[in-house]
Amino acid sequence: QVQLVESGGGLVQAGGSLRLSCAASGRSISNYVMAWFRQAPGKEREFVAAIDLSGGIAYSTDSVKGRFTISRDNAQNTVFLQMNSLNFEDTADYYCAAKVLVGLSQSRYHYGYWGQGTQVTVSA
């Protein structure tokens, strides 16, 4: 099994940037589709972005397009989420997730492995 640990969250002013990292252990992430989800207080966990096994194909939800970029470094066994132009609505706990079967998915039910999350707070 793969274990995932997120880092890089924190408090940032609106318009600022953060880079989240997801370090994997136990298995190589080269066998997993990787994704980021987020969950704001009182809301459902929602899809943010996903990336295929090699990093050649990635997509993100409309609300973060042009601002967030998902990437992966299989050699470092790490996935990243670069977040730019942050706004208050981006405040949430951000979770890294891994999916065994090939094929990108926005559904959290398709991802069997999760990290503990890292908190991102954007101040106005």
Side-chain angles (χ1 to χ4, degrees):
Q1 292 188 356
V2 63
Q3 291 83 44
L4 305 172
V5 178
E6 303 94 336
S7 62
L11 175 65
V12 62
Q13 287 188 330
S17 298
L18 282 175
R19 189 191 196 205
L20 305 184
S21 297
C22 171
S25 61
R27 291 279 181 91
S28 170
I29 63 167
S30 61
N31 299 313
Y32 297 86
V33 169
M34 302 299 296
W36 287 94
F37 288 76
R38 66 185 180 185
Q39 187 167 16
K43 294 189 176 181
E44 294 284 321
R45 191 169 296 189
E46 66 171 358
F47 171 80
V48 175
I51 190 165
D52 73 341
L53 301 184
S54 66
I57 301 174
Y59 73 88
S60 56
T61 193
D62 286 346
S63 62
V64 307
K65 272 190 172 70
R67 300 189 299 122
F68 291 12
T69 302
I70 186 172
S71 61
R72 64 192 295 160
D73 186 332
N74 288 345
Q76 292 187 28
N77 229 25
T78 304
V79 180
F80 305 97
L81 185 68
Q82 178 66 44
M83 306 188 296
N84 299 327
S85 301
L86 285 159
N87 57 55
F88 180 75
E89 288 72 30
D90 297 318
T91 295
D93 291 326
Y94 283 72
Y95 297 88
C96 178
K99 173 177 170 292
V100 175
L101 296 177
V102 297
L104 302 182
S105 173
Q106 298 187 46
S107 172
R108 65 181 189 264
Y109 301 108
H110 291 165
Y111 292 83
Y113 303 95
W114 294 85
Q116 293 299 307
T118 185
Q119 188 175 55
V120 172
T121 303
V122 183
S123 63

